[in-house]
Amino acid sequence: MRTPDHHPSRRRFLDATGAMVAFGLAAGCTADSSASDSAKSHSGGPGSASSGAPGPASAASPAPVPPTGAHQAGITLPQPAQSNLLAVVADLTASADAGPLLAELGTTVRALADGSDARLLGLPPGDLTVTIGVGPRLVRMAGRSLPGTTDLPRFSRERIAAQARGGDLLIQVCASDALVPPVVATALLDQAGDRLRERWRQSAHRGPNIAVDKALTAPRNLLGFIDGIVGPHTTAAQDRHLWLAGPAPVAGGTIAVVRRMELDLARFAALSVAEQEAVFGRRRATGDPLSGGTITADPSLGAKTPDGRYLIPADAHVRRANANAVGAGLMLRRSYSTDSPAAGLLFISFQNDIRTFTSTLTHMDDSDALLGFTTTTASATFLILPGFDSRRPLGSPLFP
């Protein structure tokens, strides 16, 4: 795969990443190895592995997540999400044919997930998931009326280089083992060869999961608040807000928005806890809305104090991003925290209508207190392709 001149080679990247992760593990860092019941119930038997494939996983290894099915893995499965992510955004070169490339990547994903690809270098894949999406330019080539043809508009508080805006292909790799994402990404980019040119990449991580509801957990972000409380968390809500019902070539897919943000941690930390809670509209310790109730309670936007002040301030994030206030659908957020190139957030949302995101951010752009602590440095949207299997290659309904 071709990379920008300033970008290190894949070999150098792998060596450096391995060294950094090894140092972190030696220092006592651990990955969250909990696996979802859903992933366990859907996991099949071990794949046919070559003599160079990883040996049996230890008892503590997370359950495998099937890469095939109606939807790609890494969106709703596993639950909770794995603790490590690597996102790679790339462009197809002029001579590349999207159909064969996507089919090859899908085949490679299956081999990596079942442990039979020698490029895993002996690592057990564990709960590896790979999620692949195509950008608006490629979707327009397949059909201008399809979902996913619209580029993201520009918003305030952006400082985005041309290289970090848009892109043809998203490869999202997640795993509980921090060593797995860079190794898997390298294998996929090796498979693509000179058909891809990398734009940017971002490693990110999640902290411990906190129980939100019986079947839902969420991590804290770097600002100390629980992230991802509201969303389409039931099957019915996902059918309504998350998955594309049609047209046929995209049915079972979804629309992803990926935005890398720097956070002004020092300025936020200088606020009192009460001031921080006013920014979010929730209690920092529990996630409960300032209007009362538990973490899962709907914020009461009309609730006031006896002297007439809103319990949830007018510029609080939960008010400005509230789906009812915006008049938009729900988005499934699966975001991760970053520490390089700056402390921040890799915001990732999935929805079946790009307007769910754009309408929400437009409403926030007006006067959301939280945005004042953010600067967006990368931004793109992708049509996440429907699920695939051996008879229906990845991307084949869209690029036959």
Side-chain angles (χ1 to χ4, degrees), residues 240-241 321-331 353 355-360:
R240 180 179 179 185
H241 298 285
N322 184 274
N324 291 328
V326 174
L330 296 173
M331 61 182 79
D353 190 332
R355 292 172 295 185
T356 296
F357 174 80
T358 56
S359 297
T360 301

Side-chain angles (χ1 to χ4, degrees), residues 32 34 77-83 127 176 206 209 217 334 336:
D32 176 14
S34 63
L77 290 178
Q79 177 57 245
Q82 309 95 313
S83 49
D127 57 359
S176 290
R206 281 184 157 212
N209 289 295
T217 64
R334 207 170 171 92
Y336 283 72

Side-chain angles (χ1 to χ4, degrees), residues 67 72-74 109 112 128-132 171-174 184 188 388:
Q72 288 193 65
V109 167
L112 290 164
L128 164 70
T129 60
V130 179
T131 313
I132 295 177
I171 301 175
Q172 174 192 282
V173 186
C174 299
V184 166
L188 291 166
F388 64 100

Side-chain angles (χ1 to χ4, degrees), residues 39-49 63-68 110-116 125-126:
K40 291 178 183 176
S41 65
H42 287 82
S43 60
S48 57
V65 182
T68 56
R110 292 173 57 212
L112 290 164
D114 70 22
S116 62

Side-chain angles (χ1 to χ4, degrees), residues 215-374:
L216 178 66
T217 64
R220 292 188 185 274
N221 55 37
L222 290 183
L223 298 177
F225 284 76
I226 301 173
D227 196 354
I229 298 169
V230 177
H233 299 306
T234 66
T235 299
Q238 288 166 6
D239 287 342
R240 180 179 179 185
H241 298 285
L242 174 62
W243 305 119
L244 290 164
V250 301
T254 186
I255 304 295
V257 171
V258 182
R259 284 168 68 85
R260 183 178 62 200
M261 305 176 189
E262 294 181 2
L263 297 176
D264 193 339
L265 298 183
R267 190 161 64 88
F268 189 81
L271 302 177
S272 67
V273 173
E275 290 171 328
Q276 293 174 7
E277 291 176 339
V279 168
F280 275 89
R282 292 186 179 274
R283 301 296 178 194
R284 190 177 71 179
T286 62
D288 299 348
L290 297 185
S291 56
T294 63
I295 186 171
T296 57
D298 290 333
S300 178
L301 302 183
K304 295 183 178 180
T305 63
D307 62 357
R309 290 180 295 107
Y310 283 116
L311 289 174
I312 296 177
D315 62 351
H317 179 61
V318 298
R319 179 184 293 277
R320 301 306 300 174
N322 184 274
N324 291 328
V326 174
L330 296 173
M331 61 182 79
L332 181 70
R333 287 175 291 151
R334 207 170 171 92
S335 301
Y336 283 72
S337 295
T338 66
D339 60 3
S340 177
L345 179 76
L346 187 65
F347 173 92
I348 304 173
S349 71
F350 300 99
Q351 50 274 301
N352 60 15
D353 190 332
I354 190 63
R355 292 172 295 185
T356 296
F357 174 80
T358 56
S359 297
T360 301
L361 188 51
T362 298
H363 196 253
M364 291 167 57
D365 236 5
D366 183 39
S367 60
D368 188 314
L370 180 58
L371 289 187
F373 297 91
T374 70

